[in-house]
Amino acid sequence: IPDRRLTALAAGGAAGAFLVSFLTTDTAGRLLAVIAGIMLLAYVVTDLIFSPRLIASTEGLVVRSPFARATLRWDEVDDVRADTRFRLGLRSTSLEIDAGPVLAVLTRRALGAGPVEVAELVNAFRPPR
């Protein structure tokens, strides 16, 4: 489940951005504030609609995200792994669920926990092959 504190912070940021857009007389600043407010509001809406993002059970996985919605049996899942990449000096770790034509990539923010720990927990539900 996404961290509700971050969802609340994004909601407050969106409200603040919309408030700034109404109070400012600068056209460019108003446009930037509206764009920022819309982006933050999108985070809030996706956190509320697609929560929880991942459900693991002994039967399989349910993935709920804006771009990937799937109910997968364990025999359909090829791999569940935490993938770490380095780009521009920054480290990024995400959870990848590979199930043939379905590739779901979930971030720490979407999961509400570290992808490495979530991968271990999800794989603990997987029946022996």
Side-chain angles (χ1 to χ4, degrees):
I1 296 177
D3 188 347
R4 294 297 182 210
R5 294 174 297 182
L6 293 176
T7 304
L9 189 62
F18 289 130
L19 180 64
V20 166
S21 72
F22 288 118
L23 296 178
T24 187
T25 58
D26 178 35
T27 306
R30 178 176 289 153
L31 178 63
L32 288 174
V34 167
I35 291 171
I38 290 171
M39 290 178 69
L40 289 169
L41 191 59
Y43 274 121
V44 172
V45 169
T46 57
D47 282 355
L48 296 176
I49 290 176
F50 300 106
S51 182
R53 297 286 174 98
L54 178 65
I55 301 169
S57 69
T58 54
E59 287 82 37
L61 299 174
V62 177
V63 179
R64 300 176 60 203
S65 71
F67 302 111
R69 290 179 218 139
T71 301
L72 305 166
R73 293 183 322 273
W74 279 116
D75 60 349
E76 298 173 314
V77 177
D78 297 324
D79 196 16
V80 176
R81 67 185 170 278
D83 185 47
T84 301
R85 298 184 185 255
F86 293 91
R87 182 179 166 116
L88 301 174
L90 298 174
R91 183 181 70 159
S92 173
T93 304
S94 59
L95 180 73
E96 292 185 358
I97 300 169
D98 184 8
V102 176
L103 176 64
V105 179
L106 301 167
T107 64
R108 178 183 188 87
R109 184 181 180 289
L111 296 167
V116 173
E117 293 84 12
V118 173
E120 292 172 359
L121 183 61
V122 168
N123 282 318
F125 280 98
R126 176 176 251 172
R129 295 181 194 199

